[in-house]
Amino acid sequence: MIIKELVLLSFGKFEDKKIELQEGINLIYGRNEEGKSTIVSFIDGIFYGFSRDSLSRKVRDELFEKSRPWNSNLYRGYLILNDDEEDFRISRDFDKDEISILNLKIGDDLSNDQRNFIYSRIPQPGALFFYLNRKVYKSTFFIGQRLSQFESDASGELQNRINNFSVSEDENVDLSKVIEKMKDDLYDLGSKKRKSSEIGKINEELENISKDKVNFLSLKETYKKSIDKYKESKDRLVDLEDKLRGRKLFELEILKDKLKQGYASESENDENYNFSDLENAIEINRSLGMYSSYLDDLLSAERKNFDVDLDLEEDYKRFKEINREIQALNENNYSKEREIISWDIKNIEREVFKYVIKFLSSMLGGLAIILISFYFKKYFISILSLLFFTYSYFRIVKFRENKDLLNRLKNKYQDYKFKSQEKTLIKKKFDKEIDEILIKYKARDKKELSEIFDSKSEENIKNISKNEYNREWIEKNSQEIEETKKIYLILRKNSKIFSINMRLKILRD
């Protein structure tokens, strides 16, 4: 658990003071009376409201009055807390005992959670986040200046909790609290039907894995069948080649016998006919046919190129970027801030009006006393007018202070209004982009669009894998194809040369 930011809107000597903290150890230093203890008190006040543990009535300690603002009627502030990778903003109006606890990641409002009221009628967010009452909290890991002594009640309670933890691994052995804690944990875990819960997310992930498993098993079965079919075809091809080779040899022997018979019966003009040339011609033609067939087989086995929808990948990437941008925009609730500031402005305007009335009334009272003293010629009575004029002076001072604060709040209100309008325009732009993507993919809503993207993106990934495999196969077999082509071309060239020589010889004869 990490405190990321402290904002003292109006607390003690501070107004609109913002302190950003970093992960790890943060050191706040300064001279005496510069506000170090005030900052410590502010943290205590935000979490526990300076309240003593009591469910019968609202009881505060002396820090409540000591921490009042010096120059403002407001008495409030907030801090940003990170707990379990989620940011929470805890705001408190100390005078009205009102708190606001907002989960900045998912927008949940925990202000009315009953755990804030376990130990006191004054809301205590510390009980919600730390599971401790204020006595134990201030006597353990939150120890302020001159408060390093255990409170007697707190030390006893802490000892009991340690003993309970050593036996049951839980500081509370109250069964009702244990059951309540289990119910809360069960609700947090959720169910299969509630998709946003932890169990729902895990169940959805398991369903997706099961779908992938089915697809992979189907691909595995198809691959196995293809391998078997390939082996069967290859064995059949070898068998056919053997049969073809045997048949060619058989036909060659028959042809040789016929040629020998023809040669013996030829006239003397054919005496110079070379029988070995015919044998070479037949052998070249036979090899040419075999390599031609083998080359055709290699070329026909080249893999199909599967389509990959690159446009979809770009749209999917943009869709996720827009969702992240919208989530970041939603973390800043300017409308809520404007509502709070608007409420403060109304209160201060009423105060300003009261000070004006008081100033005018006291001034009129002082003038009336002076007129009465002159009318009755009892001039010493006019001294009383100084009290009214002094009171008027202090009222006008308060009027100026509140007027200045009012102007600052109005400026801040306008700033938030501008940011809210800017945020609205940006969200409208994003909504327009989302609508265009929805229309493009014929989806009814973001959920259906996300499902379409997941499905098609998965198909793209499979096609990319298939193309990678095909490229590897082509690279592996390209050398064999090239060598076969070379042999085929050489045989073809020799066949042509031999044919030309035979024709020339026949013409000579």
Side-chain angles (χ1 to χ4, degrees):
M1 187 175 297
I2 301 169
I3 297 175
K4 299 173 68 177
E5 190 176 299
L6 304 173
V7 181
L8 292 76
L9 296 175
S10 188
F11 190 90
K13 67 181 290 183
F14 295 109
E15 282 191 27
D16 294 328
K17 178 67 175 178
K18 181 177 180 181
I19 302 173
E20 294 183 355
L21 304 176
Q22 305 298 323
E23 187 173 351
I25 297 175
N26 291 265
L27 180 64
I28 299 174
Y29 63 92
R31 293 192 294 269
N32 290 337
E33 304 302 325
E34 286 198 346
K36 300 185 296 298
S37 298
T38 303
I39 295 171
V40 174
S41 298
F42 175 75
I43 298 172
D44 178 24
I46 286 289
F47 285 122
Y48 289 94
F50 307 120
S51 60
R52 296 186 183 277
D53 297 339
S54 173
L55 296 175
S56 59
R57 58 194 181 93
K58 294 182 178 180
V59 185
R60 299 188 181 92
D61 62 14
E62 66 280 0
L63 285 175
F64 178 77
E65 292 299 331
K66 286 183 179 179
S67 302
R68 274 194 176 278
W70 294 3
N71 301 314
S72 174
N73 292 321
L74 298 177
Y75 192 4
R76 48 200 310 263
Y78 67 87
L79 60 78
I80 305 296
L81 175 72
N82 181 271
D83 182 25
D84 196 20
E85 298 185 356
E86 292 185 339
D87 286 345
F88 295 85
R89 185 179 64 189
I90 307 174
S91 307
R92 182 183 288 274
D93 187 323
F94 295 93
D95 266 334
K96 294 190 174 183
D97 292 326
E98 293 178 352
I99 63 167
S100 171
I101 306 174
L102 185 65
N103 187 319
L104 299 178
K105 183 176 182 180
I106 60 177
D108 281 355
D109 189 348
L110 305 176
S111 307
N112 297 318
D113 193 304
Q114 291 302 312
R115 288 173 289 181
N116 294 313
F117 303 92
I118 294 175
Y119 305 113
S120 173
R121 288 186 63 187
I122 297 173
Q124 297 179 330
L128 172 64
F129 288 97
F130 308 135
Y131 309 105
L132 300 173
N133 63 21
R134 191 179 180 219
K135 287 180 181 178
V136 176
Y137 169 77
K138 293 193 69 175
S139 300
T140 53
F141 59 88
F142 186 84
I143 300 176
Q145 187 179 12
R146 298 185 300 276
L147 293 175
S148 58
Q149 297 292 327
F150 278 123
E151 294 187 24
S152 57
D153 294 343
S155 61
E157 184 171 347
L158 183 62
Q159 185 177 0
N160 289 333
R161 291 196 177 210
I162 293 171
N163 291 334
N164 291 336
F165 188 81
S166 65
V167 175
S168 63
E169 297 186 359
D170 191 348
E171 70 274 14
N172 285 318
V173 292
D174 188 338
L175 293 178
S176 62
K177 292 183 179 179
V178 171
I179 292 172
E180 184 180 351
K181 178 75 166 52
M182 290 174 68
K183 287 180 178 178
D184 291 340
D185 291 343
L186 184 61
Y187 177 80
D188 292 338
L189 289 173
S191 63
K192 293 181 180 179
K193 294 181 179 179
R194 188 149 60 91
K195 299 295 184 182
S196 59
S197 65
E198 187 174 350
I199 289 178
K201 291 176 181 177
I202 293 173
N203 183 66
E204 188 175 6
E205 187 176 348
L206 285 173
E207 288 178 354
N208 292 332
I209 291 173
S210 298
K211 291 177 183 177
D212 291 340
K213 182 181 177 182
V214 172
N215 292 333
F216 287 135
L217 288 174
S218 176
L219 289 172
K220 182 180 178 182
E221 188 66 26
T222 304
Y223 175 75
K224 186 177 179 182
K225 288 179 180 179
S226 300
I227 291 294
D228 293 339
K229 191 174 180 181
Y230 170 76
K231 288 181 179 178
E232 184 182 344
S233 300
K234 188 174 181 180
D235 293 339
R236 187 179 174 188
L237 177 64
V238 171
D239 184 55
L240 289 172
E241 286 178 350
D242 290 340
K243 289 180 179 179
L244 180 63
R245 190 179 296 108
R247 184 175 177 181
K248 292 289 185 182
L249 290 173
F250 178 73
E251 291 177 352
L252 182 62
E253 291 298 326
I254 293 174
L255 184 60
K256 283 182 179 179
D257 291 338
K258 288 182 179 180
L259 287 172
K260 286 178 181 179
Q261 293 173 7
Y263 180 73
S265 61
E266 284 293 335
S267 60
E268 292 182 359
N269 293 332
D270 295 330
E271 231 169 78
N272 296 326
Y273 192 79
N274 193 346
F275 180 72
S276 64
D277 291 339
L278 288 174
E279 288 184 334
N280 289 335
I282 293 170
E283 186 64 27
I284 289 172
N285 285 329
R286 183 184 69 81
S287 298
L288 189 63
M290 288 180 61
Y291 277 100
S292 175
S293 176
Y294 182 55
L295 182 61
D296 289 340
D297 290 340
L298 287 174
L299 293 174
S300 64
E302 287 189 3
R303 304 292 179 175
K304 173 186 175 183
N305 188 40
F306 294 90
D307 293 333
V308 177
D309 194 343
L310 298 177
D311 191 30
L312 179 132
E313 293 295 329
E314 289 295 324
D315 290 337
Y316 193 18
K317 181 180 177 182
R318 182 56 184 159
F319 176 69
K320 290 192 287 188
E321 287 177 357
I322 290 174
N323 284 333
R324 283 195 296 269
E325 291 288 341
I326 291 175
Q327 185 178 357
L329 287 172
N330 289 335
E331 289 179 359
N332 297 317
N333 192 347
Y334 296 117
S335 297
K336 182 69 174 177
E337 294 291 347
R338 284 169 57 202
E339 182 182 340
I340 294 171
I341 293 174
S342 177
W343 179 77
D344 292 338
I345 288 173
K346 290 178 182 177
N347 287 338
I348 294 174
E349 284 177 341
R350 284 196 292 268
E351 291 295 324
V352 168
F353 180 73
K354 287 179 184 178
Y355 286 129
V356 170
I357 297 298
K358 289 177 181 179
F359 169 75
L360 293 175
S361 300
S362 59
M363 287 294 291
L364 291 173
L367 292 173
I369 289 174
I370 291 173
L371 291 174
I372 290 170
S373 66
F374 277 98
Y375 181 78
F376 291 102
K377 295 183 179 180
K378 293 183 179 180
Y379 303 109
F380 67 92
I381 297 176
S382 62
I383 296 173
L384 294 174
S385 64
L386 293 175
L387 296 175
F388 285 88
F389 292 141
T390 303
Y391 181 78
S392 298
Y393 170 75
F394 285 113
R395 293 310 92 190
I396 199 66
V397 169
K398 282 289 185 181
F399 166 79
R400 288 175 177 172
E401 291 175 354
N402 281 272
K403 191 68 175 175
D404 181 58
L405 177 59
L406 181 64
N407 290 332
R408 292 205 305 272
L409 286 174
K410 284 183 177 179
N411 290 334
K412 188 177 289 187
Y413 180 86
Q414 291 298 326
D415 181 48
Y416 283 141
K417 183 178 180 181
F418 173 75
K419 289 180 178 178
S420 179
Q421 291 172 346
E422 187 178 27
K423 173 183 171 182
T424 302
L425 290 174
I426 294 172
K427 289 185 74 173
K428 283 183 178 179
K429 179 184 174 184
F430 287 153
D431 289 340
K432 185 178 179 182
E433 285 191 58
I434 291 292
D435 289 339
E436 290 175 355
I437 297 174
L438 287 171
I439 293 170
K440 182 176 181 180
Y441 293 95
K442 299 178 182 179
R444 289 171 295 182
D445 50 35
K446 286 185 179 181
K447 183 179 179 183
E448 186 177 352
L449 180 62
S450 182
E451 290 173 356
I452 291 171
F453 276 139
D454 289 338
S455 175
K456 295 197 177 224
S457 180
E458 184 179 351
E459 185 178 347
N460 275 347
I461 291 171
K462 289 179 181 177
N463 288 342
I464 290 171
S465 300
K466 291 176 182 177
N467 289 336
E468 286 291 333
Y469 174 77
N470 290 344
R471 278 195 291 273
E472 290 177 2
W473 188 93
I474 290 170
E475 289 175 3
K476 183 179 179 181
N477 291 277
S478 60
Q479 186 176 357
E480 187 175 356
I481 291 172
E482 290 299 321
E483 290 177 357
T484 304
K485 280 183 179 179
K486 288 179 182 178
I487 295 172
Y488 174 78
L489 292 173
I490 291 171
L491 289 171
R492 190 173 178 183
K493 183 179 179 181
N494 291 339
S495 176
K496 288 181 179 180
I497 292 171
F498 184 81
S499 298
I500 292 170
N501 291 335
M502 287 294 294
R503 287 173 185 170
L504 291 173
K505 186 172 181 180
I506 290 169
L507 290 172
R508 285 197 304 270
D509 292 341

